[in-house]
Amino acid sequence: RDITMAKKYKKTNKYIMIPLVLYFTLPVIAAIIQLFVQGLSLANVVMGGVAILLYVFVIYDANLQLKEKEKTEADLRLAKEIQQNEIPNVFPAFPGRTEFDLYAKMTAAKDVGGDFYDYFFIDDNHLAIVIADVSGKSISGSLNMIKAKVLLRNIALNNIDPANILYSLNNSFIDNNKVDMFVTMWLGIIEVDTGKITFANAGHVDAIYL
């Protein structure tokens, strides 16, 4: 955290470092010149000019910071929109199935979180329920959430063993994971006609079910 703040401080002040140096050095140079050139008054002119230059650079730096903040906020809005669009939120989830009721809601602690959930039928009698958390925020976290969701659905096709599904998902996810992103996930598969649930947990917090 301290290193990041130091880098930001350095980046912010590079635009005003030159006028600050000129502010302290040019008046001294002007005073030395006046010692050898009679009738020439440079000190006040130099001080005024450098003060204006310093003001211009400060405004320029403030505008850069504002643009950077606006870009970050735009990225967060886009990531939030991607995340919300990828999470199922239409209820009833399966209008044609009267054997059970299903409802889910997610509220991120910040604009964009790594958490996500999903549910889908593996076959006519097995319903998969997923609770997961993807490392990373903003666009990167949202894209990795989509990647994990798509891989999971493909691997779970006609596979009703949660442990086997998560094992295969892990192997698929790390194949092209050059930035060391990770996902924790709880996966439960409900046998609809009996109500029996089988689940596996890959580093996620324990789930409570009734």
Side-chain angles (χ1 to χ4, degrees), residues 93-94 97 100-102 118-130 160 187-192 196-198:
F94 305 102
R97 304 301 295 255
F100 60 88
D101 291 323
L102 177 62
D118 196 12
Y119 47 80
F120 54 92
F121 271 101
I122 295 175
D123 57 40
D124 190 59
N125 192 44
H126 291 90
L127 174 66
I129 297 178
V130 182
I160 59 173
L187 170 63
I189 298 179
I190 301 174
E191 194 173 62
V192 177
K196 178 183 176 181
I197 181 170
T198 306

Side-chain angles (χ1 to χ4, degrees), residues 153-184:
R153 288 197 174 214
N154 289 335
I155 293 170
L157 187 65
N158 296 321
N159 187 346
I160 59 173
D161 183 347
N164 181 267
I165 292 172
L166 291 184
Y167 178 80
S168 299
L169 174 61
N170 179 70
N171 291 335
S172 297
F173 194 81
I174 63 177
D175 281 344
N176 296 308
N177 188 17
K178 298 180 180 180
V179 292
D180 294 329
M181 303 289 285
F182 67 91
V183 182
T184 64

Side-chain angles (χ1 to χ4, degrees), residues 16-34 42-43 46-47 50-51 53-54:
I16 61 175
M17 187 60 65
I18 294 176
L20 278 177
V21 172
L22 294 176
Y23 186 82
F24 290 105
T25 58
L26 286 184
V28 176
I29 296 174
I32 294 175
I33 293 175
Q34 284 186 182
L42 295 176
V46 169
M47 288 291 289
V50 175
L53 184 63
L54 179 60

Side-chain angles (χ1 to χ4, degrees), residues 46-193:
V46 169
M47 288 291 289
V50 175
I52 293 174
L53 184 63
L54 179 60
Y55 176 79
V56 170
F57 271 79
V58 168
I59 296 299
Y60 176 71
D61 179 68
N63 286 334
L64 288 179
Q65 293 297 317
L66 180 60
K67 290 180 179 179
E68 184 176 345
K69 181 181 178 181
E70 290 174 346
K71 183 180 183 300
T72 300
E73 291 176 348
D75 288 343
L76 288 175
R77 286 194 299 269
L78 178 58
K80 184 176 182 179
E81 183 177 348
I82 293 173
Q83 185 180 47
Q84 293 300 321
N85 288 337
E86 288 299 319
I87 295 176
N89 52 21
V90 177
F91 301 98
F94 305 102
R97 304 301 295 255
T98 59
E99 308 98 312
F100 60 88
D101 291 323
L102 177 62
Y103 179 80
K105 182 179 180 180
M106 187 188 74
T107 302
K110 297 182 179 181
D111 290 334
V112 179
D115 300 316
F116 80 93
Y117 65 83
D118 196 12
Y119 47 80
F120 54 92
F121 271 101
I122 295 175
D123 57 40
D124 190 59
N125 192 44
H126 291 90
L127 174 66
I129 297 178
V130 182
I131 304 173
D133 188 6
V134 181
S135 66
K137 308 297 181 184
S138 192
I139 299 295
S140 62
S142 297
L143 294 178
N144 276 281
M145 181 196 77
I146 296 173
K147 176 183 177 181
K149 178 181 175 181
V150 172
L151 285 174
L152 174 65
R153 288 197 174 214
N154 289 335
I155 293 170
L157 187 65
N158 296 321
N159 187 346
I160 59 173
D161 183 347
N164 181 267
I165 292 172
L166 291 184
Y167 178 80
S168 299
L169 174 61
N170 179 70
N171 291 335
S172 297
F173 194 81
I174 63 177
D175 281 344
N176 296 308
N177 188 17
K178 298 180 180 180
V179 292
D180 294 329
M181 303 289 285
F182 67 91
V183 182
T184 64
M185 183 175 294
W186 181 93
L187 170 63
I189 298 179
I190 301 174
E191 194 173 62
V192 177
D193 60 357

